[in-house]
C-alpha cells in the first residue's frame, strides 16, 4: 500500500542553469547541471526533462528527454543538457530520481517561463560559478 512506502525528502540535490560558451552556436548558451551537495555520491541518477507552455496563444511542448548517470560524486556537478534559447520561453521541467545510501529519492524541478536569464544569477553550491539555482 502507498501508505507503507517511505518517501524520503530530497535534500542537498539541486539543478542549476549555467551560461557557458557554446562552440557550435558561437554564443553563450544555458546548460542544466545536476548538483550533489551531499557527503555521499548519488547512484543511478535518472533525469527526465520536457518543456511546455504557451507561445503567442498557442500551446507548445517539446519531446521528452531521458538521461542516466551511474554516479554523481559527493559535492560535485554533472552536465545534463543544453537549454536552447527557443525553449527558455517555456516551462522547463526536470524529474530527478536517484539512490542515496540505498534509499530512492525523487524530486521535480521547474525553470518557469523566462526565469533563465542573466538578471537572476546566484552562487551555485560546490562550484565557483553563478547561474539560476533551483532547490
Amino acid at each position: 500500500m502507498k501508505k507503507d512506502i517511505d518517501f524520503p525528502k530530497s535534500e542537498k540535490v539541486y539543478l542549476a542553469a549555467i551560461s557557458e560558451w557554446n562552440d557550435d552556436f558561437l554564443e553563450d548558451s544555458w546548460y542544466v547541471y545536476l548538483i550533489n551537495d551531499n557527503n555521499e555520491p548519488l547512484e543511478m541518477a535518472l533525469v527526465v526533462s520536457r518543456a511546455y507552455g504557451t507561445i503567442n496563444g498557442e500551446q507548445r511542448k517539446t519531446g521528452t528527454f531521458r538521461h542516466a548517470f551511474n554516479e554523481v560524486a559527493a559535492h560535485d556537478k554533472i552536465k545534463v543538457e543544453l537549454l536552447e534559447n527557443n525553449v527558455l520561453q517555456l516551462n522547463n521541467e526536470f524529474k530527478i530520481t536517484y539512490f542515496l545510501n540505498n534509499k530512492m529519492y525523487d524530486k521535480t524541478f521547474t525553470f518557469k517561463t523566462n526565469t533563465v536569464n542573466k538578471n537572476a544569477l546566484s552562487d551555485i553550491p560546490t562550484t565557483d560559478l553563478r547561474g539560476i539555482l533551483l532547490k
Side-chain angles (χ1 to χ4, degrees):
M1 301 297 214
K2 190 172 183 177
K3 66 179 177 61
D4 297 322
I5 299 173
D6 180 28
F7 291 102
K9 182 179 178 191
S10 176
E11 295 179 343
K12 296 186 176 183
V13 174
Y14 316 118
L15 272 189
I18 299 173
S19 181
E20 297 177 359
W21 181 255
N22 183 318
D23 286 330
D24 293 331
F25 297 142
L26 299 175
E27 66 181 10
D28 283 335
S29 296
W30 291 97
Y31 290 90
V32 174
Y33 282 85
L34 174 59
I35 299 169
N36 177 16
D37 200 18
N38 287 285
N39 293 326
E40 301 293 327
L42 305 182
E43 298 174 336
M44 294 177 29
L46 302 172
V47 181
V48 178
S49 65
R50 68 185 183 115
Y52 59 90
T54 305
I55 299 175
N56 296 328
E58 184 179 332
Q59 283 293 111
R60 300 281 181 103
K61 65 180 181 177
T62 66
T64 300
F65 296 97
R66 292 170 182 81
H67 310 278
F69 305 99
N70 286 332
E71 184 176 282
V72 180
H75 303 288
D76 202 1
K77 67 183 183 332
I78 194 162
K79 189 182 285 189
V80 176
E81 75 180 42
L82 166 72
L83 283 178
E84 290 189 29
N85 288 334
N86 58 353
V87 300
L88 296 178
Q89 54 193 316
L90 299 171
N91 294 307
N92 287 271
E93 179 182 84
F94 293 81
K95 294 183 180 199
I96 314 296
T97 303
Y98 61 92
F99 285 90
L100 178 65
N101 296 323
N102 294 319
K103 288 189 176 182
M104 187 171 81
Y105 295 80
D106 72 9
K107 188 169 183 176
T108 300
F109 298 92
T110 304
F111 292 102
K112 298 286 185 184
T113 301
N114 296 318
T115 59
V116 176
N117 64 69
K118 299 229 180 199
N119 296 326
L121 300 177
S122 62
D123 293 333
I124 305 299
T126 76
T127 75
D128 58 353
L129 302 171
R130 293 181 52 80
I132 313 306
L133 181 67
L134 297 181
K135 294 183 175 186

